[in-house]
């Protein structure tokens, strides 16, 4: 089916042939909605850029000895200025294979084992695992439902920061899994707390290109530049998870000095083709992204119309991830297990996301409208047959 966005949306049969982990891991006949990958074709500008570079030269790049991010740095700075009116210093940008590596490097050079790190929960599971593996105790900032939104208690956070001697704030905005986009007022409160408690702020903004409706993304570095390390990538918005490429804009001079003191190749480097793909996405992929966001906007609203009545769902302000609340449905098993067993739909189990995840499941809706419709038909039938 060709949509109004102008490219072919995949059928269920076509999507099932995709070789990536999203479709290859589930059993045949299961619709995967677990990992944060999209089912859409790659933007032509990215395909063309990678093919052109492959045909021309995949030898050592001209930026091989660059301690920063080569051409990524300027492309990142241009994009931030164009979209948000923020002009970061390209000289403060470094490249990493993905946000998990970037986070681990920053924690390695800027904190010590035993240093607490605050983050909103439920939380992206690999971040929770990183904190546990690196012995950085997690200080949970609970997101709780308040009316038609998710919110946190700044007074409680203030008291807990004082009590724990927390070293850093790991901010995920837009938030995964709830889809919240924090307002300027909320970000300002967090900035004031970071100043008061001398926190390093590591701001994961990888979903910032996927904000919907009236919500607006505000880079945290525009509020607190000297304390903030901004992590982002083109991989989520442009469906490039396998290229292994991200950037970190390092505002704090002490962290830049700590990174500069490391052996130059200890953390590896991104590939030539990953850089080509990312630069092409940021500079030439906007039409494609606009088209994809139209589909995601329709899909997030379709969920609100089609989910069983007792499944709690707040339409996300960003991302292509639905945080579904099954606590009122009377299920006697973990929701993701029920969906897999009875609906043949594979979602992410809520408990993986830490405190606040029990009774929930995360469902990705970055797929064609026909596949989403089949997914929702199966979920409805599973609940009807109980």
């Amino acid at each position: 089916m060709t949509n109004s966005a102008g490219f072919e949306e995949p059928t269920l049969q076509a999507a099932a042939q995709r070789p990536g982990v999203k479709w290859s891991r589930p059993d045949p006949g299961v619709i995967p909605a677990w990992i944060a990958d999209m089912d859409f074709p790659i933007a032509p500008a990215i395909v063309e850029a990678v093919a052109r570079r492959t045909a021309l030269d995949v030898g050592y790049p001209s930026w091989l000895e660059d301690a920063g991010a080569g051409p990524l740095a300027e492309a990142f700075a241009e994009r931030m200025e164009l979209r948000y009116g923020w002009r970061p210093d390209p000289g403060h940008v470094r490249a990493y294979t993905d946000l998990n590596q970037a986070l681990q490097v920053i924690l390695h050079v800027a904190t010590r084992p035993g240093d607490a790190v605050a983050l909103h929960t439920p939380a992206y599971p690999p971040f929770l695992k990183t904190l546990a593996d690196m012995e950085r105790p997690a200080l949970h900032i609970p997101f709780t439902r308040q009316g038609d939104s998710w919110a946190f208690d700044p007074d409680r956070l203030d008291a807990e920061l004082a009590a724990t001697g927390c070293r850093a704030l790991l901010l995920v905005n837009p938030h995964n899994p709830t889809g919240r986009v924090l307002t300027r007022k909320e970000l300002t409160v967090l900035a004031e707390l970071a100043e008061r408690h001398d926190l390093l702020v590591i701001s994961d903004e990888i979903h910032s290109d996927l904000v919907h409706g009236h919500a607006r993304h505000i880079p945290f570095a525009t509020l607190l530049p000297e304390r903030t390390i901004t992590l982002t990538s083109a991989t989520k918005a442009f469906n490039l998870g396998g290229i292994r490429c991200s950037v970190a804009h390092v505002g704090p001079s002490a962290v830049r000095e700590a990174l500069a003191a490391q052996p130059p190749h200890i953390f590896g480097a991104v590939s030539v083709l990953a850089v080509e793909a990312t630069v092409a996405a940021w500079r030439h992929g906007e039409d494609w992204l606009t088209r994809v966001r139209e589909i995601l906007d329709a899909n997030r609203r379709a969920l609100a119309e089609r989910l069983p009545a007792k499944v709690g769902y707040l339409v996300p302000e960003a991302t292509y991830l639905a945080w579904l609340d099954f606590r009122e449905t009377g299920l006697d098993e973990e929701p993701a297990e029920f969906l897999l067993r009875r609906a043949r739909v594979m979602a992410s189990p809520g408990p993986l996301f830490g405190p606040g995840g029990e009774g929930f499941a995360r469902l990705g809706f970055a797929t064609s409208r026909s596949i989403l419709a089949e997914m929702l038909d199966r979920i409805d039938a599973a609940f009807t047959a109980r």
Side-chain angles (χ1 to χ4, degrees):
M1 177 176 70
T2 301
N3 62 47
S4 59
F7 59 72
E8 192 80 8
E9 291 187 40
T11 63
L12 183 57
Q13 292 73 21
Q17 304 306 309
R18 296 172 70 96
V21 67
K22 179 181 179 179
W23 285 88
S24 64
R25 178 169 295 181
D27 291 338
V30 172
I31 300 178
W34 59 290
I35 199 167
D37 265 350
M38 298 195 280
D39 294 332
F40 306 123
I42 301 303
I46 298 172
V47 175
E48 292 165 8
V50 171
R52 184 166 55 248
R53 183 60 186 252
T54 302
L56 184 65
D57 179 13
V58 288
Y60 292 116
S62 59
W63 41 268
L64 180 65
E65 302 302 325
D66 189 337
L72 281 174
E74 186 60 35
F76 165 76
E78 289 174 3
R79 188 166 185 80
M80 293 301 102
E81 184 173 31
L82 177 65
R83 295 181 74 85
Y84 310 114
W86 171 45
R87 178 67 184 183
D89 186 340
H92 296 171
V93 177
R94 288 178 171 262
Y96 296 98
T97 55
D98 69 359
L99 262 66
N100 292 295
Q101 184 200 31
L103 172 62
Q104 291 172 9
V105 170
I106 298 302
L107 290 175
H108 176 70
V109 303
T111 66
R112 298 178 180 179
D115 287 344
V117 177
L119 80 166
H120 289 93
T121 51
Y124 175 55
F127 284 178
L128 293 172
K129 187 175 189 306
T130 280
L131 296 183
D133 289 347
M134 296 186 71
E135 300 178 0
R136 271 64 170 180
L139 172 59
H140 302 131
I141 311 170
F143 261 137
T144 58
R145 181 164 179 171
Q146 296 185 15
D148 291 330
S149 188
W150 298 97
F152 66 97
D153 183 345
D155 293 330
R156 170 180 169 170
L157 176 58
D158 189 13
E160 292 182 342
L161 288 172
T164 59
C166 192
R167 176 69 184 87
L169 168 64
L170 174 52
L171 177 64
V172 180
N173 181 48
H175 186 249
N176 173 10
T178 66
R180 262 305 315 274
V181 178
L182 295 179
T183 64
R184 182 173 294 277
K185 181 179 180 180
E186 290 171 312
L187 293 173
T188 299
V189 167
L190 289 173
E192 291 170 351
L193 290 174
E195 287 276 39
R196 185 180 309 154
H197 297 282
D198 192 25
L199 300 180
L200 174 71
V201 180
I202 307 169
S203 186
D204 166 12
E205 302 181 10
I206 195 171
H207 289 281
S208 61
D209 281 337
L210 297 172
V211 174
H212 310 299
H214 298 295
R216 293 292 178 268
H217 175 71
I218 300 170
F220 196 79
T222 61
L223 281 71
L224 208 59
E226 296 302 319
R227 288 188 178 274
T228 303
I229 298 168
T230 303
L231 307 182
T232 196
S233 171
T235 55
K236 280 292 172 279
F238 293 92
N239 204 33
L240 300 171
I243 68 165
R244 320 304 292 158
C245 186
S246 69
V247 297
H249 179 266
V250 185
S253 58
V255 180
R256 293 198 301 272
E257 291 166 4
L259 290 170
Q262 300 297 307
H265 302 298
I266 192 170
F267 303 120
V270 296
S271 76
V272 172
L273 298 184
V275 170
E276 289 288 341
T278 301
V279 172
W282 282 342
R283 286 182 170 158
H284 308 294
E286 204 60 32
D287 288 345
W288 181 93
L289 180 60
T290 297
R291 295 165 182 171
V292 165
R293 287 173 60 191
E294 291 175 1
I295 302 170
L296 299 182
D297 183 45
N299 285 356
R300 71 184 179 122
R301 298 178 186 280
L303 282 166
E305 298 171 357
R306 292 284 318 279
L307 283 167
K310 290 188 177 181
V311 176
Y313 169 64
L314 292 180
V315 178
E317 298 168 316
T319 78
Y320 45 77
L321 306 168
W323 186 235
L324 304 182
D325 183 355
F326 292 85
R327 291 175 296 175
E328 300 298 320
T329 62
L331 289 180
D332 57 3
E333 62 183 307
E334 201 279 319
E337 290 292 333
F338 172 81
L339 293 178
L340 183 60
R341 184 176 63 85
R342 296 291 296 272
R344 304 288 284 167
V345 171
M346 186 175 182
S348 295
L352 294 179
F353 295 81
E358 195 70 33
F360 286 79
R362 194 191 73 176
L363 185 100
F365 55 84
T367 190
S368 69
R369 283 165 288 192
S370 63
I371 294 175
L372 181 66
E374 172 64 20
M375 194 186 308
L376 291 170
D377 285 345
R378 293 185 182 191
I379 292 173
D380 184 66
F383 274 93
T384 301
R386 286 175 61 213

